[in-house]
Amino acid sequence: MSTENPQADSATPEELREQAERTREELGDSVAALTKRTDVRAQVMQKSAAVKEQVGEKAARAAEAVKDKAPEPVGDATVEVVRAVRTRRTPLLAAGAAVLVTLVVIGRRRRRR
């Protein structure tokens, strides 16, 4: 029988147990990493949260820019639009998530061809 480690023949049972435990831990870490990479739902949720944050930041900056440069009535209307979008955030996020999932599915199908 061939072994990768020539010292393994002279290892004590305790050393072998420790080595087996380290190997199990490494295998568990590898499985966890692979599971994370293949969890599409979690990736979509993570990407959706990132997009949500970016959209919120950009909307706030745009509202500020418009408010600073636009006449008073236009600035007030912009603030009202931003408030309306924020109160209806869930449907907009759901639509964004649906678009993201669609793009992921289309991308994967194209790679298979």
Side-chain angles (χ1 to χ4, degrees):
M1 183 165 94
S2 165
T3 60
E4 293 179 18
N5 187 357
Q7 295 177 352
D9 294 336
S10 63
T12 65
E14 184 60 32
E15 290 173 334
L16 291 174
R17 284 186 198 97
E18 289 174 5
Q19 183 181 4
E21 183 60 33
R22 280 193 306 273
T23 302
R24 280 188 204 105
E25 288 176 7
E26 290 172 4
L27 180 61
D29 293 344
S30 297
V31 168
L34 287 171
T35 301
K36 184 178 178 182
R37 289 183 68 192
T38 59
D39 189 357
V40 175
R41 184 177 187 273
Q43 290 175 7
V44 168
M45 296 301 286
Q46 189 176 25
K47 183 69 174 178
S48 175
V51 169
K52 172 184 170 184
E53 186 176 330
Q54 288 176 347
V55 167
E57 290 172 1
K58 287 181 181 181
R61 282 196 302 260
E64 272 305 309
V66 169
K67 185 177 179 183
D68 291 344
K69 294 179 183 179
E72 192 74 25
V74 174
D76 292 340
T78 303
V79 171
E80 289 177 28
V81 168
V82 170
R83 279 191 198 131
V85 167
R86 286 184 179 158
T87 59
R88 293 173 183 86
R89 188 176 290 178
T90 302
L92 293 173
L93 289 175
V99 168
L100 185 61
V101 168
T102 303
L103 292 174
V104 168
V105 169
I106 290 171
R108 287 182 179 225
R109 285 185 180 171
R110 285 186 179 172
R111 278 189 238 140
R112 289 183 188 167
R113 290 182 187 179

Short mmCIF file of all heavy atoms in Angstrom, two decimals, residues 55-72 74-83 85-86:
data_model
loop_
_atom_site.label_atom_id
_atom_site.label_comp_id
_atom_site.label_asym_id
_atom_site.label_seq_id
_atom_site.Cartn_x
_atom_site.Cartn_y
_atom_site.Cartn_z
N VAL A 55 -29.40 51.90 -5.92
CA VAL A 55 -30.52 52.69 -6.45
C VAL A 55 -30.93 53.76 -5.44
O VAL A 55 -31.17 54.92 -5.81
CB VAL A 55 -31.71 51.77 -6.80
CG1 VAL A 55 -32.97 52.58 -7.05
CG2 VAL A 55 -31.37 50.94 -8.02
N GLY A 56 -30.98 53.38 -4.18
CA GLY A 56 -31.34 54.35 -3.14
C GLY A 56 -30.35 55.51 -3.07
O GLY A 56 -30.74 56.67 -2.96
N GLU A 57 -29.06 55.18 -3.14
CA GLU A 57 -28.03 56.22 -3.10
C GLU A 57 -28.12 57.13 -4.32
O GLU A 57 -28.04 58.36 -4.20
CB GLU A 57 -26.65 55.58 -3.02
CG GLU A 57 -26.36 54.90 -1.70
CD GLU A 57 -25.07 54.11 -1.72
OE1 GLU A 57 -24.37 54.10 -2.76
OE2 GLU A 57 -24.75 53.50 -0.69
N LYS A 58 -28.28 56.52 -5.49
CA LYS A 58 -28.36 57.32 -6.71
C LYS A 58 -29.61 58.20 -6.72
O LYS A 58 -29.58 59.35 -7.16
CB LYS A 58 -28.32 56.43 -7.94
CG LYS A 58 -26.96 55.85 -8.20
CD LYS A 58 -26.93 54.98 -9.44
CE LYS A 58 -25.56 54.39 -9.65
NZ LYS A 58 -25.48 53.56 -10.86
N ALA A 59 -30.73 57.65 -6.24
CA ALA A 59 -31.97 58.43 -6.19
C ALA A 59 -31.81 59.61 -5.24
O ALA A 59 -32.26 60.73 -5.54
CB ALA A 59 -33.13 57.54 -5.75
N ALA A 60 -31.17 59.39 -4.12
CA ALA A 60 -30.96 60.48 -3.16
C ALA A 60 -30.07 61.56 -3.75
O ALA A 60 -30.35 62.76 -3.63
CB ALA A 60 -30.37 59.93 -1.87
N ARG A 61 -28.99 61.13 -4.42
CA ARG A 61 -28.10 62.12 -5.06
C ARG A 61 -28.82 62.88 -6.16
O ARG A 61 -28.67 64.10 -6.30
CB ARG A 61 -26.86 61.43 -5.61
CG ARG A 61 -25.83 61.08 -4.55
CD ARG A 61 -24.49 60.75 -5.17
NE ARG A 61 -24.58 59.65 -6.12
CZ ARG A 61 -24.24 58.40 -5.86
NH1 ARG A 61 -23.77 58.09 -4.69
NH2 ARG A 61 -24.37 57.46 -6.78
N ALA A 62 -29.59 62.16 -6.97
CA ALA A 62 -30.32 62.82 -8.06
C ALA A 62 -31.34 63.80 -7.51
O ALA A 62 -31.49 64.92 -8.03
CB ALA A 62 -31.01 61.78 -8.93
N ALA A 63 -32.03 63.41 -6.46
CA ALA A 63 -33.02 64.30 -5.85
C ALA A 63 -32.35 65.56 -5.31
O ALA A 63 -32.87 66.67 -5.48
CB ALA A 63 -33.77 63.57 -4.74
N GLU A 64 -31.21 65.38 -4.68
CA GLU A 64 -30.48 66.55 -4.16
C GLU A 64 -30.03 67.46 -5.29
O GLU A 64 -30.16 68.68 -5.20
CB GLU A 64 -29.26 66.11 -3.35
CG GLU A 64 -29.51 65.85 -1.90
CD GLU A 64 -30.15 67.01 -1.17
OE1 GLU A 64 -29.66 68.17 -1.24
OE2 GLU A 64 -31.17 66.77 -0.52
N ALA A 65 -29.51 66.86 -6.37
CA ALA A 65 -29.03 67.66 -7.50
C ALA A 65 -30.17 68.44 -8.12
O ALA A 65 -30.04 69.63 -8.43
CB ALA A 65 -28.36 66.76 -8.53
N VAL A 66 -31.29 67.78 -8.32
CA VAL A 66 -32.45 68.44 -8.91
C VAL A 66 -32.97 69.53 -7.97
O VAL A 66 -33.30 70.63 -8.40
CB VAL A 66 -33.56 67.42 -9.25
CG1 VAL A 66 -34.86 68.11 -9.60
CG2 VAL A 66 -33.10 66.53 -10.39
N LYS A 67 -33.02 69.21 -6.71
CA LYS A 67 -33.53 70.17 -5.73
C LYS A 67 -32.64 71.43 -5.69
O LYS A 67 -33.15 72.54 -5.60
CB LYS A 67 -33.57 69.52 -4.35
CG LYS A 67 -34.19 70.38 -3.29
CD LYS A 67 -34.27 69.63 -1.97
CE LYS A 67 -34.86 70.50 -0.89
NZ LYS A 67 -34.88 69.82 0.41
N ASP A 68 -31.33 71.23 -5.79
CA ASP A 68 -30.41 72.36 -5.75
C ASP A 68 -30.48 73.21 -7.02
O ASP A 68 -30.36 74.44 -6.96
CB ASP A 68 -28.97 71.87 -5.56
CG ASP A 68 -28.74 71.29 -4.18
OD1 ASP A 68 -29.57 71.54 -3.28
OD2 ASP A 68 -27.73 70.58 -4.01
N LYS A 69 -30.70 72.58 -8.16
CA LYS A 69 -30.64 73.30 -9.43
C LYS A 69 -32.00 73.73 -9.97
O LYS A 69 -32.07 74.62 -10.79
CB LYS A 69 -29.94 72.43 -10.48
CG LYS A 69 -28.49 72.17 -10.16
CD LYS A 69 -27.84 71.30 -11.18
CE LYS A 69 -26.39 71.02 -10.77
NZ LYS A 69 -25.72 70.15 -11.72
N ALA A 70 -33.05 73.11 -9.52
CA ALA A 70 -34.38 73.38 -10.07
C ALA A 70 -35.07 74.48 -9.28
O ALA A 70 -34.77 74.72 -8.11
CB ALA A 70 -35.22 72.12 -10.03
N PRO A 71 -36.04 75.12 -9.93
CA PRO A 71 -36.85 76.10 -9.21
C PRO A 71 -37.60 75.42 -8.07
O PRO A 71 -37.78 74.20 -8.05
CB PRO A 71 -37.83 76.63 -10.26
CG PRO A 71 -37.28 76.20 -11.57
CD PRO A 71 -36.39 75.03 -11.32
N GLU A 72 -38.07 76.19 -7.13
CA GLU A 72 -38.73 75.67 -5.93
C GLU A 72 -39.87 74.67 -6.22
O GLU A 72 -39.88 73.59 -5.63
CB GLU A 72 -39.25 76.84 -5.09
CG GLU A 72 -39.70 76.45 -3.71
CD GLU A 72 -38.54 76.16 -2.79
OE1 GLU A 72 -37.44 76.67 -3.00
OE2 GLU A 72 -38.76 75.41 -1.83
N VAL A 74 -40.47 72.71 -8.79
CA VAL A 74 -39.95 71.48 -9.38
C VAL A 74 -39.22 70.66 -8.33
O VAL A 74 -39.35 69.44 -8.25
CB VAL A 74 -39.03 71.79 -10.58
CG1 VAL A 74 -38.37 70.53 -11.11
CG2 VAL A 74 -39.81 72.50 -11.67
N GLY A 75 -38.46 71.32 -7.49
CA GLY A 75 -37.74 70.63 -6.42
C GLY A 75 -38.69 69.96 -5.45
O GLY A 75 -38.47 68.82 -5.03
N ASP A 76 -39.79 70.63 -5.13
CA ASP A 76 -40.79 70.03 -4.24
C ASP A 76 -41.43 68.81 -4.88
O ASP A 76 -41.66 67.80 -4.21
CB ASP A 76 -41.87 71.06 -3.89
CG ASP A 76 -41.33 72.19 -3.02
OD1 ASP A 76 -40.26 71.99 -2.39
OD2 ASP A 76 -41.97 73.26 -2.97
N ALA A 77 -41.71 68.89 -6.17
CA ALA A 77 -42.31 67.75 -6.87
C ALA A 77 -41.35 66.56 -6.89
O ALA A 77 -41.75 65.42 -6.72
CB ALA A 77 -42.69 68.14 -8.30
N THR A 78 -40.08 66.84 -7.06
CA THR A 78 -39.08 65.77 -7.07
C THR A 78 -39.03 65.08 -5.71
O THR A 78 -38.96 63.85 -5.63
CB THR A 78 -37.69 66.34 -7.42
OG1 THR A 78 -37.76 66.99 -8.68
CG2 THR A 78 -36.65 65.25 -7.46
N VAL A 79 -39.06 65.85 -4.67
CA VAL A 79 -39.04 65.28 -3.33
C VAL A 79 -40.27 64.39 -3.13
O VAL A 79 -40.19 63.31 -2.55
CB VAL A 79 -38.97 66.40 -2.26
CG1 VAL A 79 -39.18 65.83 -0.87
CG2 VAL A 79 -37.64 67.12 -2.35
N GLU A 80 -41.41 64.82 -3.64
CA GLU A 80 -42.63 64.02 -3.53
C GLU A 80 -42.51 62.70 -4.31
O GLU A 80 -42.96 61.65 -3.85
CB GLU A 80 -43.84 64.81 -4.02
CG GLU A 80 -44.24 65.94 -3.09
CD GLU A 80 -45.39 66.76 -3.63
OE1 GLU A 80 -46.21 66.21 -4.40
OE2 GLU A 80 -45.47 67.94 -3.29
N VAL A 81 -41.89 62.76 -5.49
CA VAL A 81 -41.70 61.55 -6.28
C VAL A 81 -40.78 60.58 -5.54
O VAL A 81 -41.04 59.37 -5.47
CB VAL A 81 -41.13 61.89 -7.68
CG1 VAL A 81 -40.65 60.65 -8.40
CG2 VAL A 81 -42.17 62.63 -8.50
N VAL A 82 -39.71 61.10 -4.96
CA VAL A 82 -38.78 60.24 -4.22
C VAL A 82 -39.50 59.61 -3.03
O VAL A 82 -39.34 58.41 -2.76
CB VAL A 82 -37.55 61.05 -3.76
CG1 VAL A 82 -36.70 60.24 -2.77
CG2 VAL A 82 -36.71 61.46 -4.96
N ARG A 83 -40.32 60.37 -2.34
CA ARG A 83 -41.09 59.81 -1.22
C ARG A 83 -42.03 58.71 -1.70
O ARG A 83 -42.19 57.68 -1.06
CB ARG A 83 -41.90 60.91 -0.53
CG ARG A 83 -41.11 61.72 0.43
CD ARG A 83 -42.01 62.60 1.27
NE ARG A 83 -41.21 63.64 1.87
CZ ARG A 83 -41.49 64.93 1.85
NH1 ARG A 83 -42.60 65.36 1.27
NH2 ARG A 83 -40.69 65.80 2.42
N VAL A 85 -41.70 56.79 -4.33
CA VAL A 85 -40.91 55.60 -4.69
C VAL A 85 -40.51 54.86 -3.42
O VAL A 85 -40.57 53.63 -3.36
CB VAL A 85 -39.67 56.00 -5.52
CG1 VAL A 85 -38.70 54.84 -5.63
CG2 VAL A 85 -40.10 56.48 -6.90
N ARG A 86 -40.11 55.58 -2.41
CA ARG A 86 -39.68 54.93 -1.16
C ARG A 86 -40.84 54.22 -0.48
O ARG A 86 -40.66 53.17 0.13
CB ARG A 86 -39.07 55.95 -0.22
CG ARG A 86 -37.68 56.37 -0.66
CD ARG A 86 -37.03 57.30 0.31
NE ARG A 86 -35.70 57.65 -0.16
CZ ARG A 86 -35.04 58.72 0.20
NH1 ARG A 86 -35.57 59.55 1.08
NH2 ARG A 86 -33.84 58.96 -0.26
#
